[in-house]
Amino acid sequence: MEKPVRANDLLKGMLAIVVASFLWGTTGTAAQFAPQISPLAIGAFAMGIGGVLLCLSARKSLVEDARILLAKPLTFLFGSACVAIYPLAFYSAMRLSGVAIGTVVSIASAPLFAALLEYFLSKRPVSLKWFISFIFGALGIGLLTMGKAEGALELSAPNNNQIFGVTLGLIAGLTYAGYSWAAKQHIDTGANSKSAMAGLFGCAALVLLPSLWFTGQNLFANAIHTSVSLYMAVVPMFLGYLLFGYGLRTTEASKATLITLIEPLVATLFAIFLIGEVFKPVGWVGMTLVSLCLFIQSVRLPFLSKRYGRKAAA
């Protein structure tokens, strides 16, 4: 049986995921200051160095929880592979299809993939509350895309590249959901949240960092490139995933990835106020729907607490 989660702990966990999503939402804007860096390089460096920092910060708990993590080797390897693939697919999707569309496809598809993983692998039914939130969130993200479409055209490539970019965005969404699910499995079996995230990211770093030999020529070409690279590794990746792991202690993976729909919302606001993109009124409607999605997830609604096929435990 699952341990009951106190309302205060649940709120702290959700707040940690919201803050992590806010930090992740800054990555698209930060990357615009260093367009000469390969998306493969910036993804590998940010996630790889972030993984090393996570391992260093969790070194004691990693030693203590190593047996728990390795007790599910397939889950651990699956999660690590997802961590390694995600940044390469995500940053390439943004470069090929534009920041707005690449971010939206990657993040908006993740909750659906997470729910499918939980349903088929963890046998966890989907709640009515999650389903209604997903509808509002998906509609809101779609309107956000329409609202930013003109601003994103400058960064969009030809049709064939854009289709490839959207495909990579879906792969990013699947792998994002995959490592979230894997981390949650390890946490639920007794691993510390720091250990779970550090283990997956540290293993992925063994693949990501060596790849910089082929792609990382411009990472430190000048002061701006160096600042962007270090910022992406330390703030959104290290600190963001530290917070995300903390939130997963009390939050299901499908719900956590749904809350992270705030990321494209934050990315859009940064694009408006820092980059100067023009935003259509329909985009503001999208923002409202995403906010409604987050509100539904943040408050207790008894009439939405039932799960399909059975009632949730009281």
Coordinates of all heavy atoms in Angstrom, one line a residue, residues 140-202:
G140 N -4.7 24.9 -24.0 CA -4.0 26.2 -23.7 C -2.7 26.2 -24.4 O -2.3 27.3 -25.0
I141 N -1.9 25.1 -24.4 CA -0.6 25.0 -25.1 C -0.8 25.2 -26.6 O 0.0 25.9 -27.3 CB 0.1 23.7 -24.8 CG1 0.5 23.6 -23.4 CG2 1.3 23.5 -25.7 CD1 1.5 24.7 -22.9
G142 N -1.9 24.7 -27.2 CA -2.2 24.9 -28.6 C -2.4 26.3 -28.9 O -1.9 26.8 -29.9
L143 N -3.2 27.0 -28.1 CA -3.4 28.4 -28.3 C -2.2 29.3 -28.1 O -2.0 30.3 -28.8 CB -4.5 28.9 -27.4 CG -5.9 28.3 -27.7 CD1 -6.9 28.8 -26.6 CD2 -6.4 28.7 -29.1
L144 N -1.3 28.8 -27.2 CA 0.0 29.5 -27.0 C 0.8 29.4 -28.3 O 1.5 30.4 -28.7 CB 0.7 28.9 -25.8 CG 0.5 29.4 -24.4 CD1 1.2 28.6 -23.4 CD2 0.9 30.9 -24.3
T145 N 0.8 28.3 -28.9 CA 1.5 28.1 -30.1 C 1.0 29.0 -31.2 O 1.8 29.7 -31.9 CB 1.4 26.6 -30.6 OG1 1.8 25.8 -29.6 CG2 2.2 26.4 -31.9
M146 N -0.3 29.1 -31.3 CA -0.9 30.0 -32.3 C -0.6 31.5 -32.0 O -0.3 32.3 -32.9 CB -2.4 29.8 -32.3 CG -2.9 28.5 -32.8 SD -4.7 28.2 -32.5 CE -5.4 29.5 -33.6
G147 N -0.5 31.8 -30.7 CA -0.2 33.2 -30.3 C 1.2 33.5 -30.6 O 1.5 34.7 -30.8
K148 N 2.1 32.6 -30.6 CA 3.5 32.8 -30.8 C 4.0 32.5 -32.2 O 5.1 32.7 -32.6 CB 4.4 32.0 -29.8 CG 4.5 32.7 -28.5 CD 5.6 32.0 -27.7 CE 7.0 32.3 -28.2 NZ 8.1 31.6 -27.5
A149 N 3.1 32.0 -33.0 CA 3.4 31.5 -34.3 C 4.3 32.4 -35.2 O 5.3 32.1 -35.7 CB 2.2 31.0 -35.1
E150 N 3.8 33.7 -35.2 CA 4.5 34.7 -36.1 C 5.9 34.9 -35.5 O 6.9 35.1 -36.3 CB 3.7 36.0 -36.2 CG 2.4 35.8 -37.0 CD 1.7 37.1 -37.1 OE1 2.2 38.1 -36.5 OE2 0.7 37.2 -37.8
G151 N 6.0 35.0 -34.2 CA 7.3 35.3 -33.6 C 8.3 34.2 -33.8 O 9.5 34.3 -33.8
A152 N 7.7 32.9 -33.9 CA 8.6 31.8 -34.1 C 9.0 31.5 -35.5 O 10.0 30.8 -35.7 CB 7.9 30.5 -33.5
L153 N 8.4 32.2 -36.4 CA 8.7 31.9 -37.8 C 10.2 32.2 -38.2 O 10.8 31.6 -39.0 CB 7.8 32.7 -38.8 CG 6.3 32.2 -38.8 CD1 5.5 33.1 -39.7 CD2 6.3 30.7 -39.3
E154 N 10.7 33.3 -37.5 CA 12.1 33.6 -37.8 C 13.0 32.5 -37.5 O 14.0 32.3 -38.2 CB 12.5 34.8 -36.9 CG 11.6 36.0 -37.0 CD 11.9 37.0 -36.0 OE1 13.0 37.0 -35.4 OE2 11.1 37.9 -35.7
L155 N 12.7 31.7 -36.5 CA 13.6 30.6 -36.1 C 13.2 29.3 -36.7 O 13.9 28.3 -36.5 CB 13.6 30.5 -34.5 CG 14.0 31.7 -33.8 CD1 13.8 31.6 -32.3 CD2 15.5 32.0 -34.0
S156 N 12.1 29.2 -37.5 CA 11.7 28.0 -38.0 C 12.4 27.7 -39.3 O 12.7 28.6 -40.1 CB 10.2 28.1 -38.3 OG 9.4 28.2 -37.1
A157 N 12.6 26.4 -39.6 CA 13.3 26.0 -40.8 C 12.2 25.6 -41.8 O 11.0 25.7 -41.6 CB 14.2 24.8 -40.4
P158 N 12.7 25.2 -43.0 CA 11.7 24.7 -44.0 C 10.8 23.6 -43.5 O 11.1 23.0 -42.5 CB 12.7 24.2 -45.2 CG 13.9 25.0 -45.0 CD 14.0 25.2 -43.5
N159 N 9.8 23.3 -44.3 CA 8.8 22.4 -43.9 C 9.3 21.0 -43.5 O 8.9 20.4 -42.5 CB 7.7 22.2 -45.0 CG 6.8 23.4 -45.1 OD1 6.7 24.1 -44.2 ND2 6.2 23.5 -46.3
N160 N 10.2 20.4 -44.3 CA 10.8 19.1 -44.0 C 11.5 19.2 -42.6 O 11.4 18.2 -41.8 CB 11.8 18.7 -45.1 CG 11.0 18.3 -46.3 OD1 9.8 18.0 -46.3 ND2 11.7 18.2 -47.5
N161 N 12.3 20.2 -42.4 CA 13.0 20.3 -41.1 C 12.0 20.5 -40.0 O 12.2 20.0 -38.9 CB 14.0 21.5 -41.2 CG 15.2 21.2 -41.9 OD1 15.4 20.1 -42.3 ND2 16.1 22.2 -42.1
Q162 N 10.9 21.3 -40.2 CA 10.0 21.5 -39.2 C 9.2 20.2 -38.8 O 9.0 19.9 -37.6 CB 8.9 22.5 -39.6 CG 8.0 22.9 -38.5 CD 7.5 24.4 -38.6 OE1 8.2 25.2 -39.1 NE2 6.4 24.7 -38.1
I163 N 8.9 19.4 -39.8 CA 8.3 18.1 -39.5 C 9.3 17.2 -38.7 O 8.9 16.6 -37.7 CB 7.9 17.4 -40.8 CG1 6.8 18.1 -41.5 CG2 7.5 15.9 -40.5 CD1 6.4 17.6 -42.9
F164 N 10.5 17.2 -39.1 CA 11.5 16.5 -38.3 C 11.7 17.0 -36.9 O 11.8 16.3 -35.9 CB 12.9 16.5 -39.1 CG 13.9 15.7 -38.5 CD1 13.7 14.4 -38.1 CD2 15.2 16.1 -38.3 CE1 14.7 13.5 -37.6 CE2 16.2 15.3 -37.8 CZ 15.9 14.0 -37.4
G165 N 11.6 18.4 -36.8 CA 11.7 19.0 -35.5 C 10.5 18.6 -34.6 O 10.7 18.3 -33.4
V166 N 9.3 18.5 -35.1 CA 8.1 18.1 -34.3 C 8.3 16.6 -33.9 O 8.0 16.3 -32.8 CB 6.8 18.3 -35.2 CG1 5.7 17.6 -34.5 CG2 6.5 19.8 -35.3
T167 N 8.8 15.8 -34.8 CA 9.0 14.4 -34.5 C 10.0 14.3 -33.3 O 9.8 13.5 -32.4 CB 9.6 13.6 -35.7 OG1 8.7 13.7 -36.8 CG2 9.8 12.2 -35.3
L168 N 11.1 15.1 -33.4 CA 12.1 15.1 -32.3 C 11.4 15.6 -31.0 O 11.8 15.1 -29.9 CB 13.3 15.9 -32.6 CG 14.2 15.3 -33.7 CD1 15.3 16.3 -34.1 CD2 14.9 14.1 -33.1
G169 N 10.5 16.6 -31.1 CA 9.8 17.1 -30.0 C 9.0 16.0 -29.3 O 8.9 15.9 -28.0
L170 N 8.3 15.1 -30.1 CA 7.6 14.0 -29.5 C 8.5 13.0 -28.8 O 8.2 12.5 -27.8 CB 6.8 13.3 -30.6 CG 5.6 14.1 -31.2 CD1 5.0 13.4 -32.4 CD2 4.5 14.4 -30.2
I171 N 9.7 12.8 -29.4 CA 10.7 11.9 -28.8 C 11.1 12.5 -27.4 O 11.3 11.8 -26.4 CB 11.9 11.7 -29.7 CG1 11.4 10.9 -30.9 CG2 13.0 11.0 -29.0 CD1 12.5 10.7 -32.0
A172 N 11.3 13.8 -27.4 CA 11.7 14.5 -26.2 C 10.6 14.4 -25.1 O 10.9 14.1 -24.0 CB 12.0 16.0 -26.5
G173 N 9.3 14.5 -25.6 CA 8.2 14.3 -24.6 C 8.2 12.9 -24.0 O 7.9 12.7 -22.8
L174 N 8.4 11.9 -24.9 CA 8.4 10.5 -24.4 C 9.5 10.3 -23.5 O 9.3 9.6 -22.4 CB 8.5 9.6 -25.6 CG 8.6 8.1 -25.3 CD1 7.4 7.6 -24.5 CD2 8.8 7.3 -26.6
T175 N 10.7 10.7 -23.8 CA 11.9 10.5 -22.9 C 11.8 11.3 -21.6 O 12.2 10.8 -20.5 CB 13.2 10.8 -23.6 OG1 13.1 12.1 -24.2 CG2 13.4 9.8 -24.8
Y176 N 11.2 12.5 -21.7 CA 11.0 13.3 -20.4 C 10.0 12.5 -19.5 O 10.3 12.4 -18.3 CB 10.4 14.6 -20.8 CG 10.0 15.5 -19.7 CD1 10.6 15.5 -18.5 CD2 9.0 16.5 -19.9 CE1 10.2 16.3 -17.5 CE2 8.6 17.3 -18.9 CZ 9.2 17.3 -17.7 OH 8.8 18.1 -16.7
A177 N 8.9 12.0 -20.1 CA 8.0 11.2 -19.3 C 8.7 9.9 -18.8 O 8.5 9.5 -17.7 CB 6.8 10.9 -20.1
G178 N 9.6 9.4 -19.6 CA 10.2 8.1 -19.3 C 11.1 8.2 -18.1 O 11.1 7.4 -17.1
Y179 N 12.0 9.3 -18.0 CA 12.9 9.4 -16.9 C 12.1 9.9 -15.6 O 12.5 9.6 -14.5 CB 14.1 10.2 -17.2 CG 14.0 11.7 -17.4 CD1 13.7 12.5 -16.3 CD2 14.3 12.2 -18.6 CE1 13.7 13.9 -16.5 CE2 14.2 13.6 -18.8 CZ 13.9 14.4 -17.8 OH 13.8 15.8 -18.0
S180 N 11.0 10.6 -15.8 CA 10.2 11.0 -14.7 C 9.6 9.8 -14.0 O 9.6 9.6 -12.8 CB 9.1 12.0 -15.1 OG 9.7 13.2 -15.7
W181 N 9.1 8.9 -14.9 CA 8.5 7.6 -14.4 C 9.5 6.8 -13.7 O 9.2 6.2 -12.6 CB 7.8 6.9 -15.6 CG 7.3 5.5 -15.2 CD1 6.1 5.2 -14.6 CD2 8.0 4.3 -15.3 NE1 6.0 3.9 -14.4 CE2 7.1 3.3 -14.8 CE3 9.3 3.9 -15.8 CZ2 7.5 1.9 -14.8 CZ3 9.6 2.6 -15.8 CH2 8.8 1.6 -15.3
A182 N 10.7 6.6 -14.3 CA 11.7 5.8 -13.7 C 12.2 6.3 -12.4 O 12.3 5.6 -11.4 CB 12.9 5.7 -14.7
A183 N 12.4 7.7 -12.3 CA 12.8 8.3 -11.0 C 11.7 8.0 -9.9 O 12.0 7.7 -8.8 CB 13.0 9.8 -11.2
K184 N 10.4 8.2 -10.3 CA 9.3 7.9 -9.4 C 9.3 6.5 -8.9 O 9.1 6.2 -7.7 CB 8.0 8.3 -10.1 CG 6.8 8.1 -9.2 CD 6.8 9.0 -8.0 CE 5.5 8.9 -7.2 NZ 5.6 9.6 -5.9
Q185 N 9.6 5.5 -9.8 CA 9.7 4.1 -9.4 C 10.7 3.9 -8.3 O 10.5 3.2 -7.3 CB 10.0 3.2 -10.6 CG 8.9 3.3 -11.7 CD 7.5 3.0 -11.2 OE1 7.2 1.9 -10.6 NE2 6.6 3.9 -11.3
H186 N 11.9 4.5 -8.5 CA 13.0 4.3 -7.5 C 12.6 5.0 -6.2 O 12.9 4.5 -5.1 CB 14.3 4.9 -8.1 CG 14.8 4.1 -9.2 ND1 15.1 2.7 -9.1 CD2 15.2 4.4 -10.4 CE1 15.6 2.3 -10.2 NE2 15.7 3.3 -11.1
I187 N 12.0 6.2 -6.3 CA 11.6 6.9 -5.0 C 10.6 6.1 -4.3 O 10.6 6.0 -3.0 CB 11.1 8.3 -5.4 CG1 12.2 9.2 -5.9 CG2 10.4 8.9 -4.2 CD1 11.8 10.5 -6.5
D188 N 9.6 5.5 -5.0 CA 8.6 4.7 -4.4 C 9.1 3.4 -3.7 O 8.4 2.9 -2.8 CB 7.5 4.3 -5.4 CG 6.6 5.5 -5.7 OD1 6.7 6.6 -5.0 OD2 5.8 5.5 -6.7
T189 N 10.2 2.9 -4.1 CA 10.8 1.7 -3.5 C 11.8 2.0 -2.4 O 12.5 1.1 -1.9 CB 11.5 0.8 -4.6 OG1 12.5 1.6 -5.3 CG2 10.5 0.3 -5.6
G190 N 11.9 3.3 -2.1 CA 12.7 3.7 -0.9 C 13.9 4.6 -1.1 O 14.6 4.9 -0.2
A191 N 14.2 4.9 -2.4 CA 15.4 5.7 -2.7 C 15.1 7.2 -2.3 O 14.0 7.6 -2.5 CB 15.8 5.6 -4.1
N192 N 16.1 7.8 -1.9 CA 16.0 9.3 -1.7 C 15.8 10.0 -3.0 O 16.4 9.5 -4.0 CB 17.3 9.8 -1.0 CG 17.3 11.2 -0.7 OD1 17.4 12.1 -1.5 ND2 17.1 11.6 0.6
S193 N 15.1 11.0 -3.1 CA 14.8 11.7 -4.3 C 16.1 12.2 -5.0 O 16.2 12.2 -6.2 CB 13.8 12.9 -4.1 OG 14.4 13.9 -3.2
K194 N 17.0 12.7 -4.1 CA 18.3 13.1 -4.7 C 19.1 12.0 -5.3 O 19.6 12.1 -6.4 CB 19.2 13.7 -3.6 CG 18.8 15.1 -3.1 CD 19.8 15.6 -2.1 CE 19.5 17.0 -1.6 NZ 20.5 17.5 -0.7
S195 N 19.0 10.8 -4.7 CA 19.7 9.6 -5.2 C 19.1 9.2 -6.6 O 19.8 8.8 -7.5 CB 19.6 8.5 -4.2 OG 20.2 8.8 -3.0
A196 N 17.8 9.2 -6.6 CA 17.1 8.7 -7.8 C 17.5 9.6 -9.0 O 17.8 9.1 -10.1 CB 15.6 8.7 -7.6
M197 N 17.4 10.9 -8.8 CA 17.7 11.8 -9.9 C 19.2 11.8 -10.3 O 19.6 11.7 -11.4 CB 17.3 13.3 -9.6 CG 15.8 13.4 -9.4 SD 14.8 12.9 -10.7 CE 15.2 14.0 -12.0
A198 N 20.0 11.8 -9.2 CA 21.5 11.8 -9.4 C 22.0 10.5 -10.1 O 22.8 10.6 -11.0 CB 22.2 12.0 -8.1
G199 N 21.4 9.4 -9.7 CA 21.8 8.1 -10.3 C 21.5 8.1 -11.8 O 22.3 7.7 -12.6
L200 N 20.3 8.5 -12.2 CA 19.9 8.5 -13.6 C 20.7 9.5 -14.4 O 21.2 9.2 -15.5 CB 18.4 8.8 -13.7 CG 17.4 7.8 -13.1 CD1 16.0 8.3 -13.3 CD2 17.6 6.4 -13.7
F201 N 20.9 10.7 -13.9 CA 21.6 11.7 -14.6 C 23.1 11.5 -14.6 O 23.7 11.8 -15.6 CB 21.3 13.1 -13.9 CG 20.0 13.7 -14.4 CD1 18.8 13.1 -14.1 CD2 20.0 14.9 -15.1 CE1 17.6 13.7 -14.5 CE2 18.8 15.5 -15.5 CZ 17.6 14.9 -15.2
G202 N 23.6 10.9 -13.6 CA 25.0 10.6 -13.6 C 25.4 9.5 -14.6 O 26.4 9.6 -15.3

